Amino acid sequence: EHVQHIEHRYTKLEEKADVEYINIEIGGSENILNYYHDLVGQESRMVHDIAYLGNKEQKFDISMVMSHGGKKSVSDIHNLGALSGNSKKSFRGTLDFLNGATASEGAEEDTCLLLDPTVKSVSLPLLLCKEDNVVGNHAASAGQIDHNKLFYLMSRGLDQATAERLVVRGFLGSVIVEIPVKEVREEMIQTIEDKLLKR
């Protein structure tokens, strides 16, 4: 809980390279994450999923660039998480379509559950384009847990805290299920459950 986590990752994708990253960010008092993915090869593909869970005074500073240089290159960013206490998150995602990236596609999505009114979430999606025939999509949303979901779960006998934990675990589970190693998946689920109990 008292560690400062600083990570910088550069990935260069040549022709028909296919890379998928899964980040689960749970610990660390301050997390500074910087990713630059360079899709220089034709028909290269990059998918980067990030799930985070913040509580207390935790900070997440996430920056990601998908630079499309190759024809028919494809990228997809999913950044999703939940914040409680006084935790903060900032996300800067950039889709950069360079000259020569004809018929390329990129998408970025940032979704954040705000579990307490004292949290702060900032999202800055950016699209840059120097090529005509490309597709770029971005979406950002932040909000509280759907009251209808909570009501449904609580009408089945769950208290509010348990219902909230189930919703958050299910929300983050969309990234966790992508982890191919069963033991790691189970450890992540248990770690998230333990952290939610400490809220």
Side-chain angles (χ1 to χ4, degrees):
E1 291 184 355
H2 307 292
V3 172
Q4 184 184 51
H5 172 203
I6 300 172
E7 179 178 351
H8 176 74
R9 186 183 303 163
Y10 173 77
T11 309
K12 183 177 181 181
L13 290 85
E14 299 289 354
E15 185 174 344
K16 295 189 178 179
D18 192 341
V19 178
E20 294 186 23
Y21 282 132
I22 301 170
N23 283 63
I24 311 295
E25 303 296 337
I26 299 171
S29 61
E30 184 176 22
N31 299 277
I32 301 167
L33 312 171
N34 184 33
Y35 305 108
Y36 192 102
H37 303 308
D38 203 358
L39 291 86
V40 297
Q42 183 171 320
E43 296 182 40
S44 55
R45 176 181 172 269
M46 165 62 78
V47 175
H48 197 147
D49 293 340
I50 301 177
Y52 59 88
L53 178 60
N55 68 356
K56 300 178 183 175
E57 304 291 330
Q58 268 187 298
K59 295 177 184 174
F60 298 89
D61 186 335
I62 304 165
S63 176
M64 190 178 305
V65 175
M66 291 286 190
S67 178
H68 289 260
K71 290 182 181 179
K72 298 182 181 179
S73 54
V74 176
S75 69
D76 207 351
I77 301 168
H78 300 108
N79 186 61
L80 57 95
L83 300 173
S84 65
N86 293 310
S87 57
K88 296 176 176 63
K89 180 270 308 181
S90 65
F91 172 74
R92 292 173 307 286
T94 301
L95 298 176
D96 191 3
F97 297 99
L98 305 173
N99 288 326
T102 305
S104 293
E105 296 182 25
E108 58 181 320
E109 177 185 3
D110 179 38
T111 308
C112 184
L113 285 178
L114 310 176
L115 304 178
D116 290 314
T118 48
V119 301
K120 185 173 182 181
S121 174
V122 176
S123 183
L124 301 167
L126 179 64
L127 292 174
L128 302 174
C129 189
K130 294 178 182 173
E131 188 59 69
D132 291 332
N133 182 23
V134 297
V135 176
N137 297 297
H138 62 84
S141 64
Q144 298 173 341
I145 294 176
D146 186 335
H147 292 293
N148 291 329
K149 288 180 182 176
L150 284 181
F151 176 78
Y152 176 82
L153 291 170
M154 292 170 70
S155 69
R156 285 358 186 220
L158 299 176
D159 61 73
Q160 184 171 344
T162 304
E164 285 182 358
R165 281 200 312 275
L166 279 175
V167 171
V168 172
R169 200 170 77 185
F171 178 64
L172 299 178
S174 63
V175 171
I176 293 170
V177 295
E178 299 298 323
I179 298 173
V181 182
K182 180 183 176 184
E183 293 79 13
V184 176
R185 278 198 313 270
E186 291 175 350
E187 183 178 349
M188 289 299 99
I189 290 167
Q190 188 59 55
T191 303
I192 286 170
E193 184 69 22
D194 293 345
K195 188 168 182 177
L196 288 169
L197 285 168
K198 294 177 184 177
R199 250 185 86 207

